[in-house]
Amino acid sequence: MTTPLSAETIAIVKSTAPVLMEHGNAITTRLYEILFERYPQTRALFANAATDQSVKLATAVAAYAANIDHLEALTAAVDKIVNAHVRSGVQPEHYPMVADAIISAMGDVLGAAATPEIVSAWQEAYQLLADLLIAAESRCYADQQA
Ligand code: HEM
């Protein structure tokens, strides 16, 4: 069950949207480096990934931050992500790996600007998005089985 985000978390995440927009590519590039180094088993999932994958992920993360207080604006984007994930075989157990990589990447790229408050707000916000994607993806996998 997804816990709703507190007003404070929403405010912090929203305030980071511009900086994510600015450093989005650097953060996602670093994210993939960390992900493949710490969790080499995820590499195969990206075997057929588009070359603009890191740009798409950066854009999605920035859009998520900007729309955190009205997530219904992201429905179309979420559908596309779910389809891409199901095509690639992404599973619930992969989400904590990306969480670890994204939080470490933010720290590496943003340095001192990634304060403990920002990191903790992002951990919560990531979890909310992850829960939403995992639920939608498990419905797709169940449909495929039927
Ligand atoms: C909240 C977390 C995540 C977000 C916001 C996210 C976002 C995205 C986006 C925006 C795309 C591109 C969709 C499109 O083609 O339009 C994508 C594709 C993809 N994602 Fe994720 N993702 C997340 C978690 C994960 C996890 C946990 C994995 C597995 C390690 C993963 C693996 C992939 C793969 C393999 C693709 C397909 C790449 C391709 O075929 O081009 N993602 N994701």
Side-chain angles (χ1 to χ4, degrees), residues 96-107:
M97 302 173 189
V98 169
D100 178 36
I102 201 168
I103 295 296
S104 298
M106 279 185 182

Side-chain angles (χ1 to χ4, degrees), residues 87-138:
R87 269 199 316 272
S88 311
V90 173
Q91 297 296 334
E93 64 265 26
H94 296 130
Y95 281 85
M97 302 173 189
V98 169
D100 178 36
I102 201 168
I103 295 296
S104 298
M106 279 185 182
D108 286 356
V109 173
L110 302 179
T115 63
E117 289 75 20
I118 288 178
V119 167
S120 136
W122 263 101
Q123 274 164 335
E124 257 184 79
Y126 173 89
Q127 197 54 50
L128 179 80
L129 184 58
D131 288 348
L132 196 138
L133 292 173
I134 290 169
E137 285 155 21
S138 69

Side-chain angles (χ1 to χ4, degrees), residues 45-46 49-50 53 56-57 60 80-81 85 88 90 94 98 126:
L45 294 169
F46 292 91
Q53 171 60 19
K56 282 186 185 165
L57 185 58
K80 277 186 81 177
I81 298 175
H85 284 176
S88 311
V90 173
H94 296 130
V98 169
Y126 173 89

